[in-house]
């Protein structure tokens, strides 16, 4: 029987509930239990796909093509399981279903209300995920902070669900912050007590408190939290700031976090096998060298916008015992050649990530021209690949004025164009080419070297593609098309064989990299960057 773990947050947002939930998932997996997760987001967007990365950070894409919250990326990386459409639930998607049912007349004349119709729909999403994954444990994280008006239907649904399923089958972990007051030299527990009071006012009593803190929590303060918040003393868990997020599961394991969870859920205690993870953390903490990798993009002020790219770079670094420093470069600062050269002079590798719209494009093209001409290891992702093709067309293949029709509909050489299947699509929500598609890799290429396979599957999120009309011309000019869709119509990977590492892909490799299993294309980049230092 599946046991349910609800995770709520109090005091402030951005507590890292996702990392805490993902870490618990890891600890349960390390005990041989299966784990599924769900992220409930209280906003009205049907999914985060239409939101600006400045608002919401990265949009994480699942194999089955859902555009989801970036926390799903943490869950996939920690738990090493692929999640799906049903793993991310928003208020918008819940209301959409309920309103569609109402329009069809499914409610037989009833007044449609938050309770029971919205709450029933939320509970049915929990059950739907349970039926799909049939996990031993289902972790459900509620976005936002307790007390937010918009998360109330989710909190009410948990209250009902917990009551219906009975004691020992569902628990609530409440994550809070203990602020440190330097003037008195104290960690303060009052905000956490208040946030538990708010939770209780909705009828929810937490079983476990996970407290984010910058300093060790003294026993007296832990005991105080246990007393005032009515949780047992061993259920007050400290979650201190760590150098690396991958240390969090081990820090929580030291405090018997998973043991407490299993006890509260009347589940069998099992030995955890965390050897591989411990080795990983050992490698993270003892790098042999440091390399600097630039990410040249548009949303560089908010690193969350490229979080999976950053994590993938780190994962590949661990493999080569290298600490990877990220240099954020706003591509708009690279339009001037001298400035572009100055910004790139101290980096050993460059990633041009995905993106949308014309802003920053000329700077990206300049960055790519520079790395191509100076043999600096380069990985282009989605828009990054489209820019690499435009740059090559303009400066090597003699197609002056080449562009993407995304940026100039009437350009002379539209080397990147809207995919045929996209031409009649109206509306932006969930309408791109999304999710996993197969790709065939040509033997004897750099892509084949790193994948070691001719058939791969990768996740996509795009509307535009390399225009097939120009492929022959680009090939003649030296661009190698090393990965194509199975029907040979869609360019998936391009590369330049004479350079150490110049590879670009139409898909998003960053969604499939795992800390213990870095992605081949990131490994290729980092290996070339490491080699360039010796
Ligand atoms: N804007 C480009 C497209 O729609 C690239 C998208 C991306 O980088 N995710 O094809």
């Amino acid at each position: 029987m599946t046991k349910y773990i609800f995770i709520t947050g109090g005091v402030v947002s951005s507590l890292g509930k996702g990392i805490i939930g993902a870490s618990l998932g890891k600890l349960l997996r390390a005990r041989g239990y299966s784990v599924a997760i769900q992220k409930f987001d209280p906003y009205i967007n049907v999914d985060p796909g239409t939101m600006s990365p400045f608002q919401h950070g990265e949009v994480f894409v699942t194999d089955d093509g859902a555009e989801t919250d970036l926390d799903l990326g943490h869950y996939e990386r920690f738990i090493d399981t692929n999640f799906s459409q049903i793993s991310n639930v928003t208020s918008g998607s819940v209301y959409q279903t309920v309103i569609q049912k109402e329009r069809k007349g499914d409610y037989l004349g009833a007044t449609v209300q938050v309770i029971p119709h919205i709450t029933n729909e939320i509970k049915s999403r929990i059950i739907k995920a349970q039926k799909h994954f049939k996990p031993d444990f289902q972790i459900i994280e509620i976005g936002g902070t307790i007390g937010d008006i918009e998360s109330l239907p989710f909190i009410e649904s948990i209250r009902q669900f917990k009551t219906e399923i009975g004691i020992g089958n569902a628990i609530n972990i409440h994550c809070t912050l203990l602020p440190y007051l330097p003037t008195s030299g104290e960690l303060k527990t009052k905000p956490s007590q208040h946030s538990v009071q708010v939770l209780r006012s909705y009828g929810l009593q937490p079983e476990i408190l996970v407290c984010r803190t910058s300093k060790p929590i003294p026993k007296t303060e832990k005991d105080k939290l246990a007393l005032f918040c009515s949780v047992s003393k061993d259920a007050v868990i400290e979650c201190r700031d760590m150098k690396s997020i991958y240390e969090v599961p081990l820090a929580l394991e030291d405090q018997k976090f998973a043991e407490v969870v299993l006890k509260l859920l009347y589940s069998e205690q099992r030995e955890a096998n965390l050897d591989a993870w411990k080795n990983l953390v050992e490698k993270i903490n003892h790098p042999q060298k440091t390399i600097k990798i630039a990410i040249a993009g548009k949303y560089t002020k908010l690193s969350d916008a490229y979080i999976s790219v950053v994590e993938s770079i780190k994962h590949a670094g661990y493999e080569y015992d290298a600490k990877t420093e990220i240099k954020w470069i706003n591509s708009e600062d690279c339009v001037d050649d001298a400035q572009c050269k100055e910004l790139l002079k101290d980096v050993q590798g460059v990633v041009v990530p995905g993106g949308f719209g014309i802003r920053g494009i000329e700077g990206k093209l300049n960055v790519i021209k520079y790395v191509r001409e100076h043999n600096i290891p380069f990985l282009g992702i989605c828009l990054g690949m489209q820019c690499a093709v435009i740059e090559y067309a303009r400066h090597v293949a003699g197609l002056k004025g080449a562009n993407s029709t995304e940026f100039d509909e009437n350009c002379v050489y539209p080397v990147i164009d809207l995919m045929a299947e996209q031409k009649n699509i109206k509306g932006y929500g969930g309408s791109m080419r999304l999710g996993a598609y197969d790709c065939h890799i040509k033997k004897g290429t750099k892509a084949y070297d790193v994948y070691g396979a001719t058939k791969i599957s990768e996740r996509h999120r795009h509307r535009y593609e390399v225009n097939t009309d120009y492929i022959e011309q680009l090939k003649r000019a030296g661009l190698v098309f090393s990965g194509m869709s199975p029907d040979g119509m869609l360019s998936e990977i391009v590369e330049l064989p004479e350079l150490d590492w110049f590879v670009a892909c139409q898909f998003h490799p960053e969604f499939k990299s795992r800390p213990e299993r870095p992605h081949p294309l990131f490994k290729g980049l980092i290996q070339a960057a490491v080699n360039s230092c010796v």
Side-chain angles (χ1 to χ4, degrees), residues 58-71:
E58 165 189 285
V59 173
F60 186 81
V61 180
T62 56
D63 265 346
D64 64 353
E67 296 175 284
T68 72
D69 184 77
L70 59 82
D71 273 335

Side-chain angles (χ1 to χ4, degrees), residues 35-46:
V35 177
I37 63 101
Q38 275 184 303
K39 173 82 196 276
F40 286 177
D41 277 315
Y43 49 71
I44 307 293
N45 302 60
V46 172

Side-chain angles (χ1 to χ4, degrees), residues 364-366 368-373 378 384-403 413 415-416 466 470-481 494-499 502 504:
K364 284 180 189 166
L365 295 174
N366 239 0
I368 295 170
K369 180 165 182 283
Y370 187 86
V371 298
R372 181 177 57 75
E373 289 176 347
F378 163 75
M385 160 165 159
Q386 297 173 359
C387 286
V389 171
I390 296 169
E391 193 279 322
Y392 205 76
R394 281 188 193 178
H395 302 127
V396 184
L399 300 169
K400 202 161 168 264
N403 213 334
Y413 301 116
V415 290
I416 307 293
V466 178
Y470 293 93
I471 290 183
E472 279 314 313
Q473 211 166 336
L474 289 161
K475 272 187 185 167
R476 277 199 302 276
L479 191 65
V480 170
F481 287 75
V494 295
E495 59 184 74
L496 289 175
E498 69 278 15
L499 299 183
F502 186 103

Side-chain angles (χ1 to χ4, degrees), residues 5 44 63 77 104 142 150 196 213 216 265 300 329 351 371 394 414 417 436 457 473 500 525:
I5 300 161
I44 307 293
D63 265 346
R77 287 186 281 273
K104 275 189 11 223
I142 321 299
E150 55 182 11
V196 170
T213 163
L265 288 170
T300 46
I329 296 182
V351 175
V371 298
R394 281 188 193 178
D417 198 8
S457 166
Q473 211 166 336
D500 288 342
L525 172 78

Side-chain angles (χ1 to χ4, degrees), residues 249-273:
L250 300 182
L252 296 176
E253 176 70 6
D254 284 347
Q255 295 174 74
K256 306 192 175 0
F257 182 34
E259 254 182 74
V260 176
V261 168
L262 291 170
K263 186 175 78 185
L264 288 163
L265 288 170
Y266 304 163
S267 300
E268 185 194 349
Q269 297 289 348
R270 296 181 187 169
E271 200 67 37
N273 181 356

Side-chain angles (χ1 to χ4, degrees), residues 19-36:
I19 304 285
I20 293 165
S23 298
L24 176 59
K26 172 76 208 167
L27 298 179
L28 293 169
R29 287 276 285 142
R31 287 165 164 79
Y33 285 115
S34 61
V35 177

Side-chain angles (χ1 to χ4, degrees), residues 354-357 381-383 386 406 461-464 506 508:
F356 298 84
I381 299 174
C382 205
L383 181 68
Q386 297 173 359
E406 181 178 2
R461 183 173 186 245
H462 64 119
R463 291 196 169 84
Y464 293 80
Q506 185 57 75
H508 289 269

